Structure formats: structure tokens, C-alpha cells
């Protein structure tokens, strides 16, 4: 089966991890700050906090922005469940903003409309979490303007977008947000097996995320309520978690980061070949905005079901039977039982629901070969052709 995404591990990556195994520290050694500095430099951000997943990074980001039980956090319904769970973990409520049908990113127009209504009812969100779907940055300048006007903070869920750019600058530089989060899960752009990172230019947010990453304890005398008892001393000044990344993971991340630009370039080549191959098929692709240079994490097609005799489900099954591990990203969050039980209903976010009924993710990853891709294209064309409606 050709998967929809997978890691690309080089000999240098393996050596980097093996080298750490013979060092004094497997965790909390020099590799984690080294990886943090490398990503911060790559993204042109002041602070980077490495953690054990993007899920943890999103949680720390919400806590640093003081999201609590009286607050509401808004995001897109077309994302992974973790994007919304971070708010729930803080006791906050979650609400959604429908997607733009072209990019499948959160619609800025819907956001602006929803904010106007929320303002009248005094129900404005504390935080909005735009998700850079498939690696293409949201319209961050516009979201940032709305943030200033309506007083909400912004966390970019850039789990798909490290290596991408917005208006010529790296995603993660924080020009239009408070905190940016990356994921290093193996299907993402670069991997640390499990892992994530939060970037910010605000030293107070950075300090708070660092503190909560490791139990709420500090060894920094400047953060302590009284002078240290001695060199062994640490103080617990808050309640935190063990969200630490290991040195093994960080060494892998630093090694992978060196190839990130090459990975993104390969993904663009693959996407261009797909664009050509699907041009004559009854499918649509996501529109790409000139402001955004996508990291091309996902290659999503939307089936034009009115021109196809088969169904979404049958095409999915036929592709899988042909050995192509297509996938569906994502099931709209508001249709998950957790949310329907809270009162969300079908029909509430029509663009997200329409998208879900026709979306298919094709394999895209740096190590995908041209011949594998040619096979994916012919399998797709056959699956669609077989069921194509004749006029
Ligand atoms: C993968 C992903 C996450 C979660 O990342 P983990 O590192 O697995 O915790 C969150 N949001 C989005 C949009 C993702 O794709």
C-alpha cells in the first residue's frame, strides 16, 4: 500500500539519534535547546519551546494565553481533533467558523460575520486558532486585523505548515499571531517520531510555556519567590505537566530540519504532477493563494460527484483495493459525537460538510517516487473513469 504520507529517514538522521544514545543525557540534555534554536532561527522567531507533541504545544499555548472556563475558543471544523481539545482541556467552550470552499481554510468572511454577532451578545472568543490546512497559510493579516478590532488572541495551528511561507516570510515568525504550533508526527513535514513545538516572540508567553512543560517547576532564580537554598534547588510555582521532548527526538529533528526545504520542494514537484494528472478528471483541487507558499503537507482532491457515477465511499474503497492509501482529512469536528451531544447539528457548517462528502487525500511525501505517483494517477483515473457518467 502506498500511504498518504510517511517519513523520510536518512543515514545522517539515524546517526544523529545513535550518537545521542552514547551521550550522558537521553533527555533534558543539549539537543533540545539546540533543536529549539535551529527552528527559531529557521522561522525567524524569538522563542521556541519543544514538547512531546503538537497536542501538548496547543495545550500549553492555550494555558499561556490564560484560556479558562469562562472563555470560548474558535477554530475551523476541518482539522484534527487536537486543535479544539486544547481549549476543552482548559475548561473553555469551543465554537467553529465555516471554511472557505476554495482553500478549505477558515473563512475570514465567516469569521468577521460571526464576530459581529458575538459582539452583540457579548460572547466574543478569547482565542481564535486558524489551521493552515494542507500547508497553505490562512489569510493571517486579515485575521490579525480582526484580532485587534475584536480583542482576541491568535494561535496558529501550523502542524501542516513548517517550511511554508506567508507574504514572503516563514510561517512561525509570529508577525500575525501570539503563538505558532508545529507537529513532528511522522506524516508531517519533518519528524521527531512524536513531537511538537510552540514558537512566540513574547518572552512572558515563552517563559510560561517552558514552566508548564515541566511540572511548573523552575531552576531560574529570577522566577523564584525566594533565593535558592543551594545549587540543587528548584521551585514549583505552578501546576504543569511532563510534556518534555527527549534528546533522541531533538537530535532527529535537528537532522531532519536540514532537509526541510528540500522536502518542501519535492512536495511541490509532486503537487504539480498531480495538478497535471487531475486536470482532465472530474475533480477539483484546493485553490492556492498568491500570498501563501504552501508546505504542501496534503494533496486533497474534491470529487465532482455529479459528473461521476460512483460514490465517494466506492472511490475510496477502489483506490485502497488498488493499493493506494487514500485518506479523508478531516471529518468535520462539529459532527463528532462529542460535539453533537453538546448541541452542534448537521447543516451548521455547510461548506465543511460539503467538503467532507467529496474529499480525498492522495499520497504526497518527499520519498514518493515518480513511478509510484504515475501508478496513483492511473489508479485514480481508472476509478473515476469506470464510474464516469456519460452525457
Ligand atoms: C497532526 C496534527 C495535530 C496534532 O499533532 P500531534 O503532534 O500528533 O499531537 C494538531 N493539529 C493538526 C492540524 C494536525 O494535523
Amino acid at each position: 500500500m502506498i500511504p498518504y504520507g510517511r517519513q523520510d529517514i536518512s543515514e545522517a538522521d539515524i546517526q544523529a539519534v545513535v550518537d545521542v544514545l552514547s551521550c550522558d543525557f537521553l533527555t533534558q540534555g543539549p539537543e533540545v535547546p539546540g533543536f529549539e534554536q535551529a527552528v527559531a532561527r529557521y522561522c525567524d522567531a524569538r522563542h521556541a519551546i519543544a514538547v512531546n507533541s503538537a497536542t501538548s504545544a496547543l495545550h500549553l499555548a492555550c494555558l499561556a494565553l490564560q484560556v479558562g472556563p469562562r472563555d470560548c475558543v474558535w477554530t475551523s471544523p476541518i482539522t484534527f481533533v487536537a486543535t479544539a481539545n486544547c481549549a476543552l482541556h482548559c475548561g473553555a467552550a469551543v465554537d467553529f467558523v465555516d471554511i472557505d470552499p476554495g482553500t478549505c481554510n477558515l473563512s475570514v468572511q465567516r469569521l468577521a460575520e460571526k464576530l459581529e454577532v458575538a459582539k452583540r451578545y457579548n460572547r466574543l472568543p478569547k482565542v481564535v486558532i486558524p489551521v493552515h490546512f494542507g500547508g497553505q497559510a490562512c489569510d493571517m493579516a486579515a485575521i490579525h486585523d480582526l484580532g485587534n478590532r475584536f480583542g482576541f488572541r491568535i494561535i496558529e495551528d501550523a502542524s501542516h505548515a513548517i517550511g511554508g511561507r506567508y507574504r514572503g516570510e516563514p510561517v512561525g515568525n509570529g508577525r500575525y499571531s501570539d503563538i505558532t504550533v508545529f507537529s513532528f508526527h511522522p506524516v508531517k513535514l519533518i519528524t521527531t517520531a512524536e513531537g511538537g513545538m510552540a514558537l512566540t516572540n513574547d518572552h512572558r508567553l515563552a517563559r510560561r510555556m517552558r514552566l508548564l512543560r515541566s511540572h511548573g517547576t523552575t531552576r531560574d532564580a529570577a522566577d523564584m519567590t525566594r533565593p535558592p537554598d543551594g545549587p540543587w534547588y528548584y521551585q514549583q510555582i505552578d501546576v504543569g505537566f511532563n510534556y518534555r521532548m527527549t534528546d533522541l527526538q531533538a537530535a532527529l529533528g535537528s537532522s531532519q530540519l536540514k532537509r526541510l526545504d528540500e522536502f518542501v520542494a519535492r512536495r511541490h514537484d509532486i503537487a504539480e504532477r498531480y495538478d497535471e494528472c487531475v486536470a482532465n478528471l472530474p475533480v477539483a483541487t484546493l485553490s492556492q493563494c498568491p500570498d501563501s507558499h504552501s508546505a504542501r503537507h496534503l494533496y486533497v482532491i474534491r470529487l465532482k460527484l455529479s459528473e461521476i457515477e460512483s460514490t465517494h465511499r466506492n472511490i475510496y474503497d477502489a483506490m485502497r483495493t488498488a493499493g493506494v492509501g487514500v485518506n479523508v482529512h478531516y471529518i468535520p469536528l462539529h459532527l463528532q459525537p462529542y460535539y453533537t451531544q453538546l448541541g452542534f447539528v448537521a447543516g451548521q457548517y455547510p461548506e465543511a460538510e460539503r467538503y467532507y462528502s467529496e474529499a480525498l487525500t492522495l499520497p504526497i511525501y518527499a520519498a514518493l517516487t515518480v513511478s509510484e505517483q504515475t501508478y496513483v494517477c492511473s489508479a485514480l483515473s481508472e476509478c473515476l473513469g469506470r464510474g464516469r457518467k456519460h452525457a
Side-chain angles (χ1 to χ4, degrees):
M1 183 81 80
I2 300 171
Y4 82 85
R6 65 158 293 156
Q7 70 277 13
D8 180 335
I9 302 294
S10 68
E11 281 303 319
D13 293 340
I14 293 168
Q15 201 51 52
V17 175
V18 169
D19 287 348
V20 173
L21 282 169
S22 51
C23 290
D24 291 339
F25 298 99
L26 299 186
T27 192
Q28 290 191 289
E31 292 294 336
V32 168
F35 182 38
E36 289 174 336
Q37 281 155 26
V39 175
R41 211 175 311 120
Y42 180 90
C43 294
D44 200 14
R46 272 195 210 114
H47 310 279
I49 295 93
V51 287
N52 57 2
S53 69
T55 303
S56 302
L58 286 163
H59 187 200
L60 294 185
C62 282
L63 289 170
L65 292 171
Q66 294 177 314
V67 172
R70 281 179 306 281
D71 298 321
C72 192
V73 171
W74 292 4
T75 189
S76 164
I78 297 298
T79 186
F80 184 55
V81 297
T83 313
N85 280 345
C86 57
L88 302 173
H89 285 311
C90 298
V94 168
D95 204 353
F96 302 103
V97 179
D98 207 356
I99 58 168
D100 173 277
T103 61
C104 296
N105 276 331
L106 172 152
S107 158
V108 171
Q109 198 187 327
R110 293 286 97 80
L111 175 63
E113 292 163 5
K114 195 176 169 93
L115 287 164
E116 289 292 352
V117 175
K119 190 178 174 184
R120 280 205 294 279
Y121 294 96
N122 208 13
R123 303 271 305 263
L124 285 167
K126 176 130 180 189
V127 169
V128 172
I129 311 183
V131 180
H132 301 323
F133 182 70
Q136 175 169 218
C138 296
D139 187 356
M140 289 309 299
I143 295 169
H144 183 254
D145 284 348
L146 290 170
N148 284 341
R149 238 173 78 207
F150 291 93
F152 60 82
R153 312 292 293 269
I154 301 168
I155 301 170
E156 293 175 66
D157 185 343
S159 292
H160 299 182
I162 190 171
R165 299 176 79 80
Y166 176 73
R167 296 196 171 174
E169 295 179 354
V171 168
N173 73 351
R175 185 179 293 283
Y176 303 102
S177 67
D178 296 284
I179 298 170
T180 303
V181 167
F182 294 135
S183 170
F184 307 126
H185 181 278
V187 297
K188 305 289 164 70
L189 285 301
I190 57 171
T191 191
T192 61
E194 296 283 359
M197 201 173 278
L199 276 69
T200 182
N201 294 322
D202 180 324
H203 74 275
R204 272 184 311 226
L205 294 178
R207 205 177 69 175
R208 195 158 159 72
M209 290 191 284
R210 267 184 219 292
L211 190 70
L212 296 176
R213 165 175 69 177
S214 200
H215 307 286
T217 59
T218 180
R219 288 181 178 276
D220 186 346
D223 291 333
M224 293 182 188
T225 55
R226 62 183 166 85
D229 297 347
W232 63 85
Y233 192 66
Y234 59 85
Q235 248 186 15
Q236 182 181 356
I237 57 174
D238 206 332
V239 188
F241 309 88
N242 178 353
Y243 278 172
R244 292 187 305 262
M245 177 179 275
T246 67
D247 268 33
L248 296 166
Q249 292 169 302
L252 178 55
S254 291
S255 181
Q256 287 256 302
L257 184 65
K258 293 181 187 145
R259 287 189 294 150
L260 174 56
D261 289 340
E262 178 196 322
F263 288 165
V264 172
R266 295 276 287 281
R267 287 170 175 272
H268 274 271
D269 292 343
I270 293 166
E272 272 167 36
R273 283 200 293 272
Y274 274 140
D275 286 346
E276 283 168 27
C277 131
V278 303
N280 296 315
L281 296 177
V283 305
T285 56
L286 302 193
S287 53
Q288 303 289 318
C289 295
D291 274 350
S292 175
H293 182 71
S294 175
R296 286 292 194 178
H297 167 56
L298 298 175
Y299 191 89
V300 170
I301 56 170
R302 298 181 65 164
L303 306 174
K304 294 180 178 166
L305 290 166
S306 63
E307 298 172 29
I308 304 168
E309 232 148 49
S310 191
T311 62
H312 186 224
R313 172 64 196 269
N314 284 344
I315 290 164
Y316 174 94
D317 287 343
M319 288 295 281
R320 287 252 163 182
T321 303
V324 180
V326 290
N327 215 321
V328 176
H329 296 96
Y330 292 94
I331 304 154
L333 253 52
H334 69 285
L335 299 181
Q336 294 285 2
Y338 180 86
Y339 292 101
T340 54
Q341 147 243 302
L342 289 177
F344 288 95
V345 293
Q348 216 169 342
Y349 302 100
E351 292 297 348
E353 292 170 31
R354 170 132 41 102
Y355 163 81
Y356 174 57
S357 71
E358 59 194 30
L360 214 53
T361 303
L362 302 182
I364 187 168
Y365 48 91
L368 184 73
T369 65
V370 174
S371 66
E372 283 169 331
Q373 198 186 359
T374 306
Y375 177 75
V376 173
C377 290
S378 62
L380 180 67
S381 140
E382 197 170 312
C383 290
L384 294 172
R386 222 176 6 221
R388 188 148 198 180
K389 274 183 189 161
H390 297 287

